[in-house]
Amino acid sequence: MDTPTAPSDVEAKLPPTPETIPAEEPSWWRLGWVPFAVLVMAAAAADLLFPRLYGFGVAAAIGVLLGVGALLLLRRDFSRGEHIFLGVLALISFSGLLINGSILCWMAAIAIPFALVLMPGKQAVPATAKYLNWWQFWFSHRIREEVSNRAGRIKKILPLLLSILIGIISFIFFLCIFASGNPVVELVWNAIADAWNSVVAFLNLNWEFCFHVLCWGAGGLWFGIYTFKRPEINLPVAPAPIEKSHSILPYLSPCILIGTNLAFLIATSTDVAFLWLHRIPEGISQTDYLYDGAASITWAAAIASLLLVVLFRRSGSAHRSTVSRIAGYALLIQTFVLAVSVYMRLYYQVEAYGFTARRVLAAESIMMGVAGLVFLLIYMNRQGQLWSLLRPIAGIVVLLLLSFSIISPSQIAGDLNMHYASTHSHWKFSGKDFNYRAFSVQKNLAFAWYVYQQCPDMDLRYKIVSRCQNLVQRAEKRSWRNYSIYASQDEKLAAEILKQL
């Protein structure tokens, strides 16, 4: 006779039903009230960031803060460095849109956060659920629980609402048919239509309102991208110890670095002795020495930096030699000194001839080169771990480029020329400067007007009048959404110029 199995044993062997399985919740975004707040922020950001006529301005700047702020509020799997990067990105893009309506800042604020979400991250957050985004989690988990808890009520409400909707459609359809052949019914139809139009007018349900509704709806779908699950990241593996290789030329690295340092020492010492102190030796052209040579220094610095990257790679022998390390750091210092020398040459050029867009762009490029030297120093100290620095290097480059786009080089050059014109009367500008890439009437109307007052030119006058007429026409159709500081200043100046011409 078989022994009956205990009920507890049977229940223990049975697989759990779907209702008894504990719901797994994604761990890479915050739950509770945060997703709903982020949903509203993302919808408002989509409406503000949508491109309108006559450029970008304060609306897009606010949209950038809302969009990036929503992402930072929602995600839990961003590292501290990624939080800092996105925060600086939001501030730079906000400044670029508010000051100059920069399209590059607008594009970067939309594309870079999404690209960051789709990239593997360093922050280890366990993937505890199968859901790919918040919408999938909501509809497959929350709504399913809600339906199971209130199934009876929904079964009663849905048929009733559907029946009422069909009844209203039938009423409108047949009333429209009768109104086409019966004047009395037509009066009733007109009365209903007038009542509906008055409600629409009262609620201001025009095309602009519908457009805002569409943008908010698109922003709600856009919110789902914020919650994408980042790709899995492989755990870092401890690097294998580097075996000392027996090279045929064991002294190649120190010899190369010492020879390069001696060549750089000649250039840096002469620059410090003559360029920095502005004491040009006899027989040397002051113009050639002070204003030329920046291109050769730039090429030499770039080649020296590439040489340090190759010699101080992980499998190289330079970082294992004391002489090579000292020579490498010395070469890095001399490269920085030459960067300062290029700035000195730019200073003397500006002091003699004034600012141009090319000189401002050169100064900005040297700033990126100095940032590259900082990363090169970190690379040398980390024994050639180049791949670990690629992400921060790319982030710094993007932030610097966006910072430079806040105000264009032409605008910076024109504003600085007008600011220092009283103390540099020897600076001479003419309308010919606006025929090339040195300056642009579109990007700096104030400086073009200043040059025209100092040196009248008919071709420059035509460009100024054309630009002013365009700005005045655009000013009449602008709204607060397109407001930017430079555009507002140019529109006011354009109205004054047209009165004088």
Side-chain angles (χ1 to χ4, degrees):
M1 186 174 180
D2 298 335
T3 304
T5 306
S8 59
D9 297 337
V10 176
E11 293 177 358
K13 295 180 181 180
L14 292 176
T17 60
E19 290 77 13
T20 60
I21 297 177
E24 295 178 346
E25 294 184 344
S27 57
W28 59 91
W29 70 71
R30 294 181 175 86
L31 297 174
W33 61 271
V34 175
F36 299 99
V38 172
L39 178 62
V40 177
M41 294 172 66
D47 186 18
L48 294 171
L49 285 171
F50 193 87
R52 263 81 172 182
L53 296 176
Y54 310 112
F56 298 99
V58 64
I62 297 174
V64 166
L65 294 182
L66 288 176
V68 178
L71 183 61
L72 294 177
L73 179 63
L74 180 69
R75 305 290 301 208
R76 297 177 54 202
D77 54 349
F78 284 159
S79 64
R80 181 178 299 177
E82 290 170 336
H83 275 85
I84 296 175
F85 171 75
L86 288 175
V88 176
L89 173 67
L91 293 177
I92 292 176
S93 300
F94 174 84
S95 302
L97 289 166
L98 180 62
I99 295 175
N100 210 17
S102 173
I103 298 178
L104 183 60
C105 290
W106 175 80
M107 296 174 61
I110 295 176
I112 292 178
F114 292 163
L116 191 62
V117 168
L118 299 178
M119 292 173 55
K122 295 182 179 179
Q123 191 74 9
V125 176
T128 59
K130 61 183 179 181
Y131 308 108
L132 296 178
N133 56 67
W134 188 80
W135 286 121
Q136 183 185 10
F137 168 72
W138 176 260
F139 283 107
S140 63
H141 176 62
R142 297 293 186 185
I143 296 298
R144 182 175 59 191
E145 290 185 355
E146 189 72 16
V147 170
S148 62
N149 294 333
R150 303 182 181 181
R153 184 180 301 177
I154 292 178
K155 288 182 179 179
K156 294 179 181 180
I157 294 177
L158 286 180
L160 177 60
L161 294 178
L162 184 60
S163 301
I164 294 175
L165 178 61
I166 294 175
I168 294 175
I169 294 175
S170 301
F171 169 76
I172 296 175
F173 177 75
F174 286 103
L175 185 63
C176 183
I177 293 176
F178 292 139
S180 62
N182 191 327
V184 179
V185 180
E186 185 179 2
L187 294 177
V188 177
W189 172 263
N190 292 335
I192 296 176
D194 292 340
W196 171 256
N197 292 332
S198 63
V199 172
V200 171
F202 177 76
L203 298 177
N204 196 20
L205 300 177
N206 51 14
W207 165 246
E208 184 178 357
F209 174 81
C210 297
F211 181 77
H212 288 301
V213 171
L214 291 176
C215 290
W216 278 67
L221 299 177
W222 180 20
F223 166 76
I225 306 178
Y226 278 11
T227 58
F228 274 178
K229 179 181 177 182
R230 301 182 79 173
E232 299 290 342
I233 184 171
N234 298 325
L235 295 177
V237 180
I242 303 175
E243 297 182 358
K244 293 185 178 181
S245 58
H246 300 282
S247 176
I248 301 177
L249 300 174
Y251 302 106
L252 179 63
S253 296
C255 290
I256 292 177
L257 290 173
I258 291 175
T260 307
N261 268 287
L262 291 176
F264 270 65
L265 183 61
I266 295 174
T268 53
S269 59
T270 54
D271 276 354
V272 172
F274 302 123
L275 177 68
W276 291 23
L277 301 178
H278 206 275
R279 295 177 180 177
I280 309 301
E282 297 181 0
I284 301 296
S285 172
Q286 180 175 347
T287 302
D288 294 340
Y289 187 77
L290 292 181
Y291 306 147
D292 298 335
S296 61
I297 292 176
T298 304
W299 277 108
I303 295 174
S305 300
L306 182 60
L307 182 65
L308 290 175
V309 171
V310 173
L311 294 179
F312 281 85
R313 68 190 187 277
R314 189 171 180 272
S315 60
S317 60
H319 54 77
R320 295 193 298 270
S321 170
T322 303
V323 177
S324 297
R325 287 199 304 270
I326 295 175
Y329 293 138
L331 182 58
L332 195 66
I333 294 173
Q334 292 197 86
T335 305
F336 176 78
V337 173
L338 287 181
V340 177
S341 297
V342 175
Y343 265 120
M344 296 289 293
R345 284 176 167 82
L346 286 175
Y347 170 79
Y348 290 130
Q349 289 179 3
V350 170
E351 182 69 21
Y353 305 112
F355 292 91
T356 62
R358 182 176 297 179
R359 289 165 189 159
V360 173
L361 184 61
E364 295 175 347
S365 301
I366 298 173
M367 290 179 60
M368 297 190 66
V370 172
L373 293 179
V374 174
F375 279 103
L376 185 57
L377 177 62
I378 299 174
Y379 167 81
M380 294 168 62
N381 288 330
R382 289 189 177 183
Q383 297 185 354
Q385 296 181 6
L386 179 62
W387 295 108
S388 62
L389 296 176
L390 287 182
R391 291 184 64 172
I393 289 175
I396 294 296
V397 169
V398 169
L399 293 179
L400 285 176
L401 289 177
L402 291 178
S403 300
F404 297 155
S405 70
I406 293 177
I407 305 177
S408 67
S410 178
Q411 291 172 325
I412 295 176
D415 293 344
L416 291 176
N417 285 330
M418 291 187 295
H419 181 75
Y420 292 103
S422 58
T423 57
H424 295 74
S425 58
H426 57 280
W427 289 352
K428 302 299 180 182
F429 301 100
S430 64
K432 295 181 180 180
D433 295 324
F434 292 86
N435 295 331
Y436 305 99
R437 296 182 179 179
F439 301 102
S440 172
V441 177
Q442 286 73 19
K443 294 182 179 180
N444 202 308
L445 178 63
F447 182 61
W449 177 241
Y450 167 80
V451 172
Y452 177 77
Q453 290 178 319
Q454 301 297 322
C455 182
D457 183 88
M458 295 305 298
D459 186 32
L460 181 58
R461 175 191 174 96
Y462 172 77
K463 294 179 180 179
I464 292 175
V465 171
S466 177
R467 177 60 176 169
C468 291
Q469 292 176 349
N470 187 17
L471 287 173
V472 171
Q473 293 176 359
R474 292 173 60 179
E476 297 175 354
K477 301 178 181 180
R478 276 184 180 270
S479 64
W480 68 272
R481 291 178 173 273
N482 312 112
Y483 174 84
S484 62
I485 295 177
Y486 264 89
S488 176
Q489 293 177 352
D490 285 348
E491 289 167 358
K492 294 179 181 179
L493 180 61
E496 297 178 0
I497 292 175
L498 291 178
K499 292 180 181 178
Q500 299 181 26
L501 292 178

